[in-house]
Amino acid sequence: MFLIESIPAEYRERAVKTAAALSGIDDVLIAAHIHPDGDALGSMAAVGWMMQRAGKRQVIYAPTGIPENLHFLDLPGATCHSLRDLPFKPQSAVYLDCSEPARLGEALGADYDSLPSVNIDHHLGSSGMGSVANFVESSAAATAQLVAYVIAASGQKLEGPVGRAVGLGLMTDTGGFCHGNTTADVFELCANLSRNGCDFAHMRENLQKTWTLGRMHLWGRIFTRASLELNDCLVICVVTRADLAEFSCSRDDVEGVVEWLRRLRKARIAAIIREDGRKLCKFSLRSFGDDDVRAIAAALGGGGHRNAAGGTLSASPEEAKKCLLEAVEQIGVCGCR
């Protein structure tokens, strides 16, 4: 069992306070950022299971749905895609892996402060959206890591579906335990999860063995388009809606491409621009070490972490690429000018 004493000292006091705050709320709406990744979904599931174990009513709210490659995760009940279809009237909320109200989706973001709330997050720049308690630590590798400490502080075991949910968040936000945020604390937590039945190898198989032939061909197209810019400092690629339609792919099929672009030998920064609508593009940035791509994203109204950031631009793909290149030059990250 992962005891309170096992929680790293820097997180222990706030984990205990957050656990106490969660014990005092009921009829809970659980939400994270739209288009949830493994950390967002894993955190929501873990908190949902925690609440269910404590005999509290809970519901996971996911307005954009659950990505197909994450359907394998056990959830503590059906998810709701509309605030009009909730099984009960929420009396409180838990916001996870989300640094600003807008990322909760249009409906909830506009009314996020109408419920007493607890916020757990690890994004840089987040001041905390919770009215009851905030556990925001950018030093954590994943929001799921903080959630695990809160669950441990509540006296519950990190096993079964709770352990698997936490494990998913840790695995995805550390890039399969390869990113620089994979600390000794992460490994110690994972060791506990493994001892209690979390099968990381099986989880990795579930995450990876989901490709279609169309996705494989799409990635081939993307890689042939990659170009080096700004004195070979930046590798960048654009994906259009026409590309997705040609290969019968969805936006989810582009996830992970930027991680591979980052492997290009000369490049310090990897960027992908995905067209999501007319005059609407999503950009994702990756880097290694001290190269801070969050500063670039922030200049364009986005956010994230030092080595992984992104945002949205109201622009065509060509305009978005131009804006991104100008931002990289202006910020001057790792000498890209």
Side-chain angles (χ1 to χ4, degrees), residues 142-160:
T143 296
Q145 181 182 356
L146 301 176
V147 168
Y149 296 152
V150 171
I151 293 172
S154 75
Q156 293 189 17
K157 294 181 178 180
L158 295 171
E159 62 183 13

Side-chain angles (χ1 to χ4, degrees), residues 13-14 31 34 54 84 125 180 186 192 221-222 228 243 255 323:
E13 181 179 354
R14 298 187 72 184
I34 56 174
R84 296 187 298 271
V186 170
N192 180 272
R221 166 76 59 80
I222 292 171
L228 281 165
D243 294 326
E255 292 298 320
C323 287

Side-chain angles (χ1 to χ4, degrees), residues 109 206 252 309:
N206 278 320
D252 292 337

